[in-house]
């Protein structure tokens, strides 16, 4: 009881998943979704534009092309992913697109890349944010950076375990602070040098022609492509909305598109605007400072708001919001990563427990895994942002390329009038070419600098997933064979219901979705205790997981299927003139719900003994225990503590 109180204080009161208002109160409107999911993309403006501009070397005039290309690319990818929101309104994004439109194994690769992407989102955002904070502190703080990263990741884990909306609302002021400060600096920075704008285009064209006369147009194109690819991190995060449509308020598709519009406008303006500022204000690298910091320092000084101290304070505020946004962006990993894991668990690529919801209706296991994986990556890389950016960009563009290729295939197969398939096919194809080109250049240029590690990590993850799915498939086939054996059990001739008598001996069966498993337990009890039990009750406590909770009408479908299964057992008993009844419950914790229902039954039927089945594997080890919940043992322990008798029947598979 005391533990429950402490848990409630830290994580908040349990929520009822069966109440419609619960889902409504948790769903994200477009503005909050922009904050929660858009921060990842917007935060990349802290390092993406700089990578692009630095790659140009001394030919900074080419920055104008990069500013235009960056803004245009953001909108191309965003519009392409709007199609994903339309086609997959229950979420899953890149993973669902690849699985359904290209094939399950490319879907697996896309899913593994997405999970790595979200782990790296957390790692790189926290590492960059701590680096930014460390720049304001004495050098003696440097050895403690990893501990600071552990603290911030732990803080985000707790916030997300409390609920998605709560975490976003806490981080909202930081997000808005970044948007306002950067909006002011970009607008002022452009207008302050507005006199240079008319001559910018002709000068750029003239300098480009002169450069081409020395290195050729192919050389210029190669330079632009390399700089464009180096800044690929700018576009990361645009897929977050399509991955998490299930978190959005109704109507989900419209909310998703509005959120995507907010993201595209804010990122295109910020990233393209910052590159333009570099160009207009002649940004030069300064040791120990980012290009953003040195450029913003120059702009703030030109505003004439006060002396050097005031200017320095304003710069600190701007950079603090930039660092703060990186922490907000890290939260996107805790929103998107568990969602992808949940979708992959629904397809049996990863343990099914990643679908389970906590009492706060969040995928607790996914949140914990993302947090600890991010810590492991930070420890392995030593928090090196340079290496993390390489890992990050390759995983993101691998997912982008596979997803957009899936859309190209989809519109090639669905050429129907009125669907504007030509325009959508062209948009998807352009997006695919852009993303595939960036991916190829990154792999070639950065393979030795960490690209190999991305490929190795994704390969190991995929191999593990294939092994997991094979185990689940073999288990499912074994259970199906048990169902087939008991499917032939004949019903009796009686058609009248037989009501249980509370004063008689009662056998209570805790059953699941397997009818064969339930009949196996019923017949075993009758064989072992002939004519002892007069009442036969059936209990089904269904787990409301993320798949059931997020899908449209999935809760009602789950309720209908569970009721039909229980009705089958009751009808079977009635047909043999056996008194029977059923009890159905729903909750995020099956053991809690089973315990509640059994206590309720025990008060009504004092002579009840409880029975359930448990899968027994020929080789029971840590792996099988990881893949299958131990609900039967946990329920038995809870009931024994309550003074209720429970027997577990082995079912070998």
């Amino acid at each position: 009881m005391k533990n429950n109180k402490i848990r409630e204080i830290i994580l908040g009161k349990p929520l009822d998943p069966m109440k419609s208002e619960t889902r409504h109160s948790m769903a994200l409107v477009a503005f909050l979704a922009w904050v929660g999911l858009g921060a990842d993309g917007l935060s990349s403006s802290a390092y993406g534009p700089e990578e692009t501009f630095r790659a140009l070397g001394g030919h900074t005039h080419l920055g104008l092309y990069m500013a235009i290309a960056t803004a245009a690319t953001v909108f191309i990818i965003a519009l392409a992913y709007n199609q994903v929101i339309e086609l997959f309104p229950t979420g899953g994004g890149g993973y669902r697109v690849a699985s359904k439109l290209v094939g399950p194994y490319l879907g697996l690769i896309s899913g593994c890349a997405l999970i790595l992407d979200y782990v790296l989102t957390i790692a790189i955002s926290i590492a960059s944010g701590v680096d930014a904070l460390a720049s304001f502190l004495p050098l003696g703080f440097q050895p403690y950076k990893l501990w600071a990263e552990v603290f911030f990741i732990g803080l985000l884990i707790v916030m997300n375990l409390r609920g998605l909306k709560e975490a976003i609302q806490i981080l909202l002021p930081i997000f808005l602070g970044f948007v306002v400060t950067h909006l002011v600096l970009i607008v002022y920075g452009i207008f302050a040098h507005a006199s240079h704008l008319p001559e910018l285009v002709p000068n750029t064209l003239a300098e480009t022609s002169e450069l081409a006369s020395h290195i050729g147009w192919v050389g210029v194109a190669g330079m632009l492509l390399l700089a464009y690819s180096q800044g690929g991190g700018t576009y990361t995060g645009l897929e977050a909305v399509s991955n998490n449509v299930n978190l959005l308020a109704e109507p989900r598709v419209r909310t998703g598109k509005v959120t995507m519009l907010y993201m595209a406008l804010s990122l295109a303006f910020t990233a393209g605007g910052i590159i333009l500022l570099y160009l207009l204000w002649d940004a030069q690298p300064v040791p120990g400072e980012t290009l953003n910091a040195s450029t913003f320092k120059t702009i703030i000084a030109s505003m004439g708001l006060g002396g050097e101290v005031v200017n320095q304070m304003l710069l600190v505020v701007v950079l603090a919001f930039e660092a703060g946004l990186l922490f907000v962006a890290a939260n996107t990993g805790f929103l998107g990563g568990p969602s992808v894991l949940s979708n992959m668990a629904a397809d049996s690529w990863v343990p099914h427990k990643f679908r389970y919801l906590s009492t706060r209706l969040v995928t607790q296991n996914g949140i914990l895994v993302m947090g600890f994986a991010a810590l492991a990556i930070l420890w392995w890389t030593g928090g090196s942002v340079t290496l993390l950016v390489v890992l990050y960009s390759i995983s993101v563009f691998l997912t982008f390329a596979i997803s957009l290729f899936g859309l190209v295939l989809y519109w090639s197969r669905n050429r129907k009038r009125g669907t504007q398939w030509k325009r959508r096919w062209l948009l998807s194809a352009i997006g695919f070419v852009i993303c595939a080109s960036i991916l190829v250049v990154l792999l070639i240029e950065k393979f030795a600098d960490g690209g190999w590690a991305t490929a190795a990590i994704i390969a190991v993850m995929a191999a593990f997933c294939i092994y997991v799915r094979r185990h689940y498939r073999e288990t499912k086939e074994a259970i199906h064979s048990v169902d087939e054996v008991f499917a032939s059990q004949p019903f009796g001739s009686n058609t009248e219901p037989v009501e249980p008598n509370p004063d008689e001996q009662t056998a209570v069966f805790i059953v699941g979705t397997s009818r064969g498993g339930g009949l196996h337990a019923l017949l075993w009890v009758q064989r072992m205790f002939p004519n002892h039990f007069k009442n036969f009750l059936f209990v089904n406590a269904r787990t409301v997981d993320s798949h059931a909770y997020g899908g449209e009408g999935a809760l009602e479908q789950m309720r209908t299927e569970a009721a039909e299964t229980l009705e089958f057992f009751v009808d079977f008993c009635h047909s043999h003139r056996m008194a029977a009844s059923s009890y159905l419950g729903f909750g995020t914790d099956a053991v809690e719900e089973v315990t509640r229902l059994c206590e309720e039954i025990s008060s009504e039927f004092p002579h009840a003994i409880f029975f359930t089945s448990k899968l027994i594997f020929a080789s029971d080890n840590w792996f099988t225990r990881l893949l299958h919940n131990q609900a039967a043992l946990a329920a038995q322990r809870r009931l024994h503590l309550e003074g209720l008798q429970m027997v577990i029947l082995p079912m070998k598979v």
Side-chain angles (χ1 to χ4, degrees):
M1 200 69 179
K2 186 178 179 181
N3 289 342
N4 287 344
K5 193 68 179 174
I6 294 171
R7 181 185 177 88
E8 207 170 282
I9 291 170
I10 296 173
L11 302 182
K13 293 183 177 180
L15 300 172
D16 184 354
M18 302 309 290
K19 288 184 178 179
S20 57
E21 56 266 28
T22 303
R23 159 82 180 137
H24 178 74
S25 67
M26 289 177 62
L28 301 176
V29 295
F31 179 74
L32 286 180
W34 176 43
V35 177
L37 303 172
D40 181 18
L42 199 53
S43 71
S44 62
S45 62
Y47 50 82
E50 179 170 351
E51 292 292 326
T52 297
F53 202 72
R54 284 181 182 274
L56 295 174
H59 307 289
T60 55
H61 66 278
L62 297 175
L64 179 62
Y65 303 118
M66 290 296 96
I68 296 169
T70 297
T73 303
V74 168
F75 279 105
I76 289 171
I77 295 175
L79 288 171
Y81 266 84
N82 268 347
Q83 300 175 45
V84 177
I85 294 171
E86 286 180 5
L87 295 173
F88 300 91
T90 56
Y95 168 69
R96 278 273 170 259
V97 172
S99 297
K100 299 294 183 185
L101 305 184
V102 186
Y105 286 99
L106 266 181
L108 169 62
I109 298 299
S110 181
C112 291
L114 265 176
I115 292 168
L116 179 59
D117 167 25
Y118 282 122
V119 169
L120 290 165
T121 294
I122 299 168
I124 194 172
S125 300
I126 293 293
S128 300
V130 169
D131 281 351
L133 291 177
S135 64
F136 299 120
L137 297 171
L139 287 175
F141 176 75
Q142 295 294 322
Y144 301 102
K145 285 200 304 184
L146 186 59
W147 290 109
E149 290 161 4
V150 171
F151 169 77
F152 285 117
I153 288 178
L155 187 63
L156 286 174
I157 287 174
V158 172
M159 286 167 56
N160 281 278
L161 290 177
R162 287 186 64 89
L164 308 178
K165 211 167 190 176
E166 286 199 25
I168 291 169
Q169 288 170 340
I170 292 170
L171 299 170
L172 177 61
I174 299 172
F175 182 88
L176 293 179
F178 174 91
V179 170
V180 171
T181 54
H182 283 64
L183 175 66
V184 170
L185 286 171
I186 292 171
V187 171
Y188 174 83
I190 292 173
F191 276 97
H193 281 193
S195 58
H196 298 289
L197 290 174
E199 60 196 44
L200 185 61
V201 173
N203 285 351
T204 300
L205 293 173
E207 290 181 52
T208 305
S209 297
E210 186 181 346
L211 178 63
S213 67
H214 290 92
I215 63 173
W217 285 106
V218 174
V220 173
M223 188 179 293
L224 288 170
L225 181 60
L226 180 60
Y228 182 64
S229 301
Q230 294 280 76
T234 305
Y235 317 113
T236 58
L238 285 171
E239 80 289 351
V241 179
S242 64
N243 289 334
N244 298 280
V245 184
N246 56 303
L247 304 178
L248 304 181
E250 299 288 357
R252 291 181 187 174
V253 172
R254 185 179 178 281
T255 304
K257 287 185 173 183
V258 172
T259 305
M260 188 66 90
L261 177 63
Y262 291 166
M263 287 178 65
L265 286 172
S266 57
L267 180 56
F269 175 81
T270 307
I274 286 174
I275 295 175
L276 197 55
L277 289 183
Y278 294 159
L279 198 58
L280 293 173
W281 290 81
D282 191 26
Q284 299 295 330
V286 177
E289 290 184 7
T290 63
L291 273 183
N292 281 12
S294 57
T295 306
F296 292 159
K297 182 193 289 185
T298 308
I299 294 172
I300 290 171
S302 74
M303 289 180 172
L305 298 174
E308 190 174 332
V309 174
V310 173
N311 290 345
Q312 186 63 26
M313 287 176 62
L314 289 173
L315 179 63
V316 167
V317 169
V318 171
L319 295 180
F321 276 125
E322 199 167 271
L325 186 71
L326 288 163
F327 293 126
V328 182
N331 197 62
T332 307
F334 287 107
L335 297 179
S339 179
V340 176
L341 279 170
S342 171
N343 279 295
M344 293 181 73
D347 294 336
S348 296
W349 289 118
V350 297
H352 290 162
K353 60 180 64 181
F354 285 112
R355 289 174 55 172
Y356 298 162
L357 297 172
S358 70
T359 56
R360 295 292 293 176
L361 303 183
V362 295
T363 44
Q364 177 176 292
N365 294 320
I367 289 170
L368 293 172
V369 163
M370 298 305 292
F372 287 116
L375 284 174
I377 288 276
L378 283 170
W379 176 79
W380 173 57
T381 60
S384 168
V385 174
T386 304
L387 176 56
L388 288 169
V389 166
V390 173
L391 298 172
Y392 187 36
S393 299
I394 291 175
S395 62
V396 170
F397 281 97
L398 177 58
T399 301
F400 278 175
I402 295 174
S403 301
L404 292 169
F405 178 65
L407 290 175
V408 170
L409 290 180
Y410 178 81
W411 293 117
S412 298
R413 297 165 183 159
N414 293 272
R415 293 175 288 181
K416 298 177 183 176
R417 283 188 180 180
T419 59
Q420 299 179 317
W421 70 269
K422 289 182 180 178
R423 181 177 66 82
R424 296 184 174 195
W425 181 91
L426 183 62
L427 181 65
S428 303
I430 292 171
F432 168 69
V433 170
I434 290 172
C435 294
S437 301
I438 293 175
L439 176 63
V440 170
V441 172
L442 283 172
L443 280 171
I444 294 171
E445 289 291 321
K446 298 293 183 179
F447 188 80
D449 297 329
W452 65 270
T454 307
I457 292 170
I458 291 173
V460 169
M461 290 171 65
F464 173 76
C465 291
I466 290 170
Y467 189 64
V468 168
R469 197 183 206 197
R470 183 186 302 162
H471 173 86
Y472 278 132
R473 185 176 64 246
E474 291 171 354
T475 304
K476 188 176 181 180
E477 288 171 355
I479 293 173
H480 181 66
S481 65
V482 172
D483 286 347
E484 286 186 335
V485 168
F486 287 95
S488 59
Q489 288 295 319
F491 274 61
S493 58
N494 183 52
T495 57
E496 297 297 321
V498 184
E499 296 300 324
N501 181 354
D503 297 324
E504 299 283 0
Q505 295 293 328
T506 304
V508 182
F509 299 93
I510 301 167
V511 298
T513 55
S514 169
R515 296 185 178 186
L519 285 179
H520 165 263
L522 174 64
L523 297 177
W524 186 92
V525 167
Q526 283 188 310
R527 187 174 68 251
M528 297 302 294
F529 306 99
N531 301 318
H532 178 74
F533 294 104
K534 306 302 179 185
N535 301 324
F536 299 88
L537 308 183
F538 298 89
V539 176
N540 192 344
R542 298 302 297 269
T543 303
V544 181
D545 59 20
S546 59
H547 185 67
Y549 194 64
E552 188 70 34
L555 278 176
E556 282 307 313
Q557 182 181 349
M558 184 177 70
R559 191 194 298 271
T560 302
E561 289 174 355
E564 287 176 354
T565 301
L566 287 174
E567 188 179 353
F568 167 82
F569 292 126
V570 172
D571 288 348
F572 180 85
C573 289
H574 286 169
S575 71
H576 292 283
R577 294 183 173 83
M578 297 155 56
S581 185
S582 65
Y583 293 78
L584 177 60
F586 297 90
T588 56
D589 188 328
V591 175
E592 287 280 349
E593 193 61 24
V594 162
T595 305
R596 185 188 67 78
L597 289 171
C598 289
E599 287 175 346
E600 180 184 317
I601 291 168
S602 180
S603 63
E604 187 180 350
F605 295 87
H607 307 295
I609 296 179
F610 300 88
F611 297 89
T612 192
S613 297
K614 183 182 184 299
L615 298 178
I616 302 297
F617 296 93
S619 56
D620 191 18
N621 50 42
W622 67 270
F623 184 69
T624 56
R625 288 191 289 274
L626 173 70
L627 299 189
H628 301 275
N629 66 49
Q630 305 299 309
L633 294 172
Q636 184 185 52
R637 181 176 178 276
R638 289 286 297 275
L639 292 181
H640 284 179
L641 288 172
E642 298 295 329
L644 304 178
Q645 298 180 59
M646 181 174 178
V647 178
I648 295 178
L649 309 177
M651 192 168 87
K652 187 176 179 180
V653 293

